[in-house]
Amino acid sequence: MSAADVRTISFKALTRSRTTIEDFVKSYFPLHGLNPTEDVFTYLDIIVYVEATIYQMDEDNEKLCGQGGQEDKHILTGEKAVLDILRQKGLLDQRLTAELAKGKQYWANERRLCRDMLGAQADHAQNLGFNLQDVHSTSEGKSFDYRVLNLMLFTLTKRPYDEALLRFLFIDEHLVDIGDDLVDYEDDVLANSFNIYRAYIHLYGREAQLRLVQRIADFELQYETLLKLLPANVQELVKSRQKDAASVEGSDKWVFPAPILDEAKYRADMAGLSDDSL
């Protein structure tokens, strides 16, 4: 069976990938001189296939995390098929291969850290099997799918990689991930999913918010510095997209949920509330 015939996507994964694909097209296509409305169908098949397959593998990995399992060499369904398709399409260069490897490492890190957080005692950071560097490494790998799609788009449009733009987008993507983690914090505790705020709380307890604020401030400074290095027209595109995103109420603020210092008790309490509602 050829790679093109391998089924790698569930309808659920396809549905979940829709928001990311829409955001990628609206935010990244203009940076490549492409029209999000007119040019999307030229590249739609490969973008949807790759992103939806990544979402499928992410769902499979989250199931392993939820069970507290860890398999360092676990092979997720779709890994080989994605590599084969990208190779057949002439897209799998050394840079893209490395980014996909970072995604695989992200999933392995997520399994390890979530296993440790699931088994940790309340408010006892010394019992953890990870440190701050592990948390940062994992968090920075979270949006590898955007970087995969972006590298693909450079090759598809026959343009060399723009290193200044890629450095800026890495910082932007990480700040977005932190914001998403704050919004999803309670759900990620329940599901035992990786979340930078959750990991900070395991490491620092009640000091987690202050520590994470410091990291956010550092990345915001890098964001402003790197943005100024981009061409004026690219800066305007970024600011325009940022303005659109800020139109959503509350999107321009960093809102920190109350820290959950005893996750096991919180999950038990939430399970009890769910049982009571039946």
Side-chain angles (χ1 to χ4, degrees):
M1 180 183 294
S2 70
D5 295 320
V6 176
R7 298 178 182 180
T8 63
I9 306 166
S10 68
F11 183 73
K12 181 180 178 181
L14 185 63
T15 302
R16 285 188 62 201
S17 70
R18 182 177 59 193
T19 301
T20 297
I21 293 169
E22 180 181 4
D23 180 58
F24 177 79
V25 170
K26 288 181 177 179
S27 301
Y28 287 63
F29 266 47
L31 300 177
H32 290 265
L34 300 174
N35 186 302
T37 302
E38 297 177 2
D39 294 321
V40 61
F41 292 104
T42 303
Y43 311 105
L44 188 63
D45 52 352
I46 189 66
I47 287 175
V48 170
Y49 172 77
V50 171
E51 182 61 23
T53 301
I54 287 175
Y55 257 91
Q56 183 64 60
M57 290 189 285
D58 190 65
E59 281 199 357
D60 295 344
N61 199 66
E62 286 180 354
K63 289 179 182 177
L64 289 172
C65 289
Q67 298 163 1
Q70 178 198 357
E71 298 178 54
D72 291 336
K73 297 182 180 180
H74 183 81
I75 297 176
L76 296 164
T77 303
E79 281 186 43
K80 184 178 184 303
V82 165
L83 289 170
D84 288 344
I85 289 293
L86 291 173
R87 186 178 295 108
Q88 290 174 15
K89 295 292 184 180
L91 300 174
L92 193 64
D93 62 7
Q94 187 175 2
R95 186 73 170 270
L96 186 56
T97 300
E99 200 60 55
L100 288 165
K102 290 178 184 177
K104 186 173 181 178
Q105 185 60 53
Y106 163 73
W107 284 321
N109 289 344
E110 181 179 36
R111 293 194 298 272
R112 180 172 67 85
L113 269 64
C114 289
R115 180 204 61 186
D116 289 346
M117 287 189 283
L118 186 64
Q121 298 179 25
D123 226 2
H124 286 288
Q126 64 268 26
N127 295 322
L128 294 173
F130 61 85
N131 56 32
L132 184 61
Q133 183 177 349
D134 295 325
V135 173
H136 288 171
S137 176
T138 305
S139 182
E140 290 172 6
K142 199 166 190 178
S143 278
F144 79 92
D145 56 329
Y146 274 85
R147 293 185 279 279
V148 165
L149 296 181
N150 200 22
L151 292 175
M152 284 169 42
L153 204 52
F154 273 105
T155 305
L156 287 166
T157 56
K158 296 178 170 43
R159 296 171 60 237
Y161 294 139
D162 185 335
E163 298 300 340
L165 179 59
L166 290 170
R167 283 193 295 270
F168 167 77
L169 290 173
F170 174 82
I171 299 299
D172 180 53
E173 290 154 2
H174 186 51
L175 285 169
V176 171
D177 281 337
I178 294 175
D180 289 344
D181 279 0
L182 294 176
V183 172
D184 297 336
Y185 170 59
E186 290 93 345
D187 290 339
D188 286 342
V189 170
L190 291 175
N192 192 38
S193 297
F194 176 79
N195 181 301
I196 190 172
Y197 182 48
R198 180 189 177 204
Y200 262 59
I201 290 169
H202 274 272
L203 288 172
Y204 301 117
R206 299 183 189 279
E207 295 182 7
Q209 178 175 333
L210 179 59
R211 298 266 190 163
L212 189 52
V213 164
Q214 293 171 344
R215 180 167 178 81
I216 291 170
D218 176 58
F219 270 75
E220 287 183 329
L221 180 60
Q222 293 183 60
Y223 178 99
E224 295 299 332
T225 300
L226 293 174
L227 178 61
K228 292 175 183 177
L229 299 178
L230 300 178
N233 66 311
V234 175
Q235 291 186 42
E236 289 305 313
L237 289 170
V238 170
K239 291 175 182 178
S240 176
R241 183 59 180 157
Q242 188 179 43
K243 184 178 179 181
D244 291 341
S247 64
V248 179
E249 185 177 357
S251 61
D252 58 339
K253 301 176 182 177
W254 296 100
V255 179
F256 288 79
I260 300 168
L261 301 178
D262 189 338
E263 289 189 352
K265 183 178 183 302
Y266 178 78
R267 281 188 284 267
D269 290 345
M270 291 299 101
L273 289 175
S274 178
D275 292 341
D276 292 342
S277 65
L278 296 178

